[in-house]
Amino acid sequence: MTAKATYDSDAGTFTLEKGIWRGTFPIADLPKWSDFYRRQIERYPAHAANYAPDMKALQDLALRIGAKTD
């Protein structure tokens, strides 16, 4: 399943969407969420494919807006 991350510069937030799930968070929390998904992939390798789209969407967003994720 594809995940999508978008940035709202006016609100200072990003939204991560995957399927019917959607969450909006302060852009300052982008590193925290990237770390969360990275750790899930490491902890649960059998389910890594479930977390990989979210991780990629967050990494792509960070690249687009020039944000650090670590």
Side-chain angles (χ1 to χ4, degrees):
M1 183 174 291
T2 303
K4 180 173 109 178
T6 55
Y7 177 51
D8 182 340
S9 59
D10 292 335
T13 60
F14 72 95
T15 300
L16 182 61
E17 299 178 57
K18 185 173 163 187
I20 62 170
W21 183 88
R22 174 186 296 170
T24 300
F25 311 95
I27 196 64
D29 288 351
L30 182 58
K32 183 183 350 179
W33 281 103
S34 293
D35 185 55
F36 169 79
Y37 284 107
R38 189 177 299 111
R39 285 184 285 121
Q40 292 299 93
I41 290 168
E42 291 169 0
R43 289 180 181 161
Y44 308 105
H47 300 285
N50 294 324
Y51 299 112
D54 304 89
M55 188 69 227
K56 177 161 178 24
L58 294 175
Q59 289 173 333
D60 290 348
L61 174 63
L63 285 173
R64 283 195 312 270
I65 66 171
K68 288 190 165 227
T69 58
D70 33 29

